[in-house]
Amino acid sequence: MSVKTYKYNDKTQLTEHLNVQNFKCKCGKAHEIKIDSGLPNILEKEMIKLGADRIEVFSGYRCKKHDIAVGGRGTGSHTQGYAADTRYYKGGKVIPSKEVSLRLEDLGHKKGIGYRCGGNANGTHIDTKPRKWYGDEKYSKTKACCNSFYEYFNIPKPSTKKFIQVQTKSGVWCRKGIGFNYKKYKLIPNLTICELLKKNAGSSNGYKWDKVVYNNEVVYMPNKWNKIV
Ligand SMILES: [Zn+2]
Ligand SMILES: [Zn+2]
């Protein structure tokens, strides 16, 4: 990732929903715009993660003067092209910053996340400055508030494990490898839920095979008769 400098009137499309103009300094002067190449990408990925249909960057790049005018020190991530203060929308409604912050953490964004930026519960500061900083901007724009927003909001972190459920009356024979060359090993009954290790781990005999855990053993099954649950 690297910071690029664009001309004031540059209209280059950076991602599906973001253009250079979205990051323009709001001071009103016709000066250059700095944008880190990783920033539009994480903003766009977050849009997909949230199922949002609109993103608003209410503050992107800031020249030193404007940064000071809005309460910064004139040296922060906005003045370096690393940051955007955002609001995400779905069906005309703004998505709360709490949800935006959690989903960014889910995406593995280990750079800057500022919950409640802009003085309310709807704005989120997102930056790509190379260091981890999770803050609550209602209280501080510089001090970190936590290592994980799940801890900060006191909600359990969801399991990242995936599961499949066998959905055929007669059950499915699993095997120790991929393909009917391997012997029938165990019959997994209908409606059994197994942890999914790898979807489509391989193909054989006209089927795609899943790698799953059944009764604490790693086994394989053709995936025609199971669904992700
Ligand atoms: Zn400016
Ligand atoms: Zn910000």
Side-chain angles (χ1 to χ4, degrees):
M1 274 168 262
S2 60
V3 177
K4 264 185 90 174
T5 302
Y6 298 87
K7 289 211 170 98
Y8 177 74
N9 56 1
D10 194 320
K11 291 184 174 61
T12 304
Q13 197 68 27
L14 301 166
T15 65
E16 192 184 343
H17 298 93
L18 292 161
N19 188 290
V20 170
Q21 292 297 302
N22 292 106
F23 297 88
K24 190 160 77 178
C25 182
K26 295 221 165 28
C27 73
K29 291 216 172 75
H31 64 68
E32 62 189 23
I33 308 161
K34 286 183 183 173
I35 310 167
D36 177 51
S37 61
L39 184 61
N41 293 345
I42 186 67
L43 300 185
E44 187 81 28
K45 262 163 77 182
E46 173 73 347
M47 230 185 136
I48 296 163
K49 186 80 181 168
L50 288 164
D53 47 37
R54 188 161 83 82
I55 175 173
E56 174 196 357
V57 176
F58 63 89
S59 188
Y61 174 62
R62 295 179 199 148
C63 61
K64 191 176 173 173
K65 223 176 145 185
H66 184 57
D67 193 56
I68 292 168
V70 296
R73 293 161 302 160
T75 55
S77 53
H78 283 274
T79 66
Q80 300 163 335
Y82 285 121
D85 295 342
T86 61
R87 285 186 202 101
Y88 284 90
Y89 297 85
K90 190 177 186 175
K93 280 192 184 154
V94 68
I95 301 172
S97 180
K98 186 174 176 175
E99 193 185 336
V100 175
S101 302
L102 287 167
R103 296 297 85 77
L104 273 167
E105 185 173 336
D106 292 346
L107 281 173
H109 186 65
K110 291 188 176 70
K111 288 168 180 172
I113 306 174
Y115 166 56
R116 295 199 286 198
C117 136
N120 62 52
N122 298 330
T124 310
H125 164 105
I126 302 171
D127 77 55
T128 51
K129 203 172 163 174
R131 51 88 187 87
K132 185 175 173 181
W133 178 79
Y134 288 2
D136 181 347
E137 295 201 20
K138 189 178 175 188
Y139 299 118
S140 174
K141 287 188 174 195
T142 52
K143 241 180 92 178
C145 70
C146 62
N147 198 38
S148 163
F149 284 106
Y150 284 97
E151 283 167 27
Y152 194 61
F153 302 136
N154 198 21
I155 49 177
K157 200 165 183 161
S159 162
T160 51
K161 285 184 180 179
K162 285 184 181 162
F163 297 89
I164 54 96
Q165 183 177 46
V166 171
Q167 293 187 356
T168 183
K169 259 189 188 159
S170 53
V172 178
W173 283 97
C174 67
R175 295 162 200 258
K176 289 283 208 175
I178 293 169
F180 295 152
N181 289 342
Y182 290 88
K183 279 189 300 196
K184 284 179 176 173
Y185 183 59
K186 280 177 181 165
L187 183 66
I188 308 181
N190 189 25
L191 304 180
T192 304
I193 289 175
C194 301
E195 186 188 341
L196 177 66
L197 296 178
K198 195 170 180 7
K199 186 99 197 133
N200 301 336
S203 313
S204 186
N205 307 95
Y207 297 106
K208 284 177 176 156
W209 292 63
D210 289 348
K211 185 179 184 181
V212 304
V213 179
Y214 178 59
N215 281 348
N216 297 316
E217 281 186 286
V218 175
V219 293
Y220 297 83
M221 68 161 99
N223 70 15
K224 184 172 159 54
W225 300 281
N226 74 55
K227 282 213 172 87
I228 290 181
V229 288

